[in-house]
Amino acid sequence: MANPAPEQALEQARSAAALAKQAAELAEKYAEQAAAAAGAATGVDPTVYRLAIFVLAVFVGYYVVWSVTPALHTPLMSVTNAISSVIVVGALLAVGVQAAPAMGDGPLWAKVFGFIALILASVNIFGGFLVTERMLAMYKKKG
C-alpha cells in the first residue's frame, strides 16, 4: 500500500484531532450532568464528603505512623520538627506582624487562630525533641 502524501496525512490528523476534541467535549458534558445528578439524587452536602475524606485520612495516617520501624522514627521526627518550625514562623506572622499599614492590625480571628497554631506547633516541636532524645537514648551503650 502506498504511503499517503504529507498533505493528506496532515489533513487526516487534523480531522482526527477535531473528532477527538468533539468527543472530549461531549464526555465532559456527560460527566458534569452525571455529577449534578448524583449530587441531586443523594442530597448530601459536599462538606460531608470532605469530612469523610478527612476522617479516613486520620485513620490512614494513624496506621501509617504506628507501622514505622523505630529506626526510621528519629529522622521522621526531625522532619516533623522542621515542618512545625515553619508553622511557628507563619503563626508568629499571623499573631504579631502587620501585613500593610493600610490593612491595620488585621482581624481578631486571624490573631486567635495564629496564637492557637503557635501553641500547638510549639507543643509538637517540644514533644518531637523529647521523643527524638528518647529514641537516641536507645542506641547509646549502657554502663
Side-chain angles (χ1 to χ4, degrees):
M1 184 170 181
N3 289 337
E7 295 83 20
Q8 289 176 335
L10 183 61
E11 188 58 38
Q12 288 176 350
R14 284 185 180 152
S15 64
L19 285 173
K21 183 178 178 184
Q22 289 174 351
E25 289 171 352
L26 190 60
E28 182 181 5
K29 180 181 170 185
Y30 286 144
E32 288 174 359
Q33 290 175 352
T42 58
V44 177
D45 187 29
T47 307
V48 174
Y49 287 122
R50 292 182 185 117
L51 182 63
I53 290 171
F54 175 74
V55 169
L56 288 173
V58 167
F59 282 112
V60 169
Y62 174 79
Y63 285 110
V64 166
V65 167
W66 283 108
S67 64
V68 171
T69 61
L72 291 177
H73 200 276
T74 302
L76 289 176
M77 286 305 299
S78 298
V79 172
T80 304
N81 285 341
I83 292 170
S84 291
S85 66
V86 172
I87 293 171
V88 165
V89 171
L92 284 172
L93 288 173
V95 169
V97 177
Q98 294 180 356
M103 293 177 62
D105 285 340
L108 179 64
W109 61 266
K111 291 182 180 266
V112 170
F113 281 134
F115 183 72
I116 292 170
L118 180 63
I119 297 298
L120 293 176
S122 299
V123 168
N124 191 27
I125 290 172
F126 181 72
F129 282 125
L130 288 179
V131 170
T132 302
E133 183 64 33
R134 188 172 171 195
M135 293 296 292
L136 289 174
M138 291 173 42
Y139 297 106
K140 291 182 181 176
K141 291 185 179 182
K142 308 241 188 298

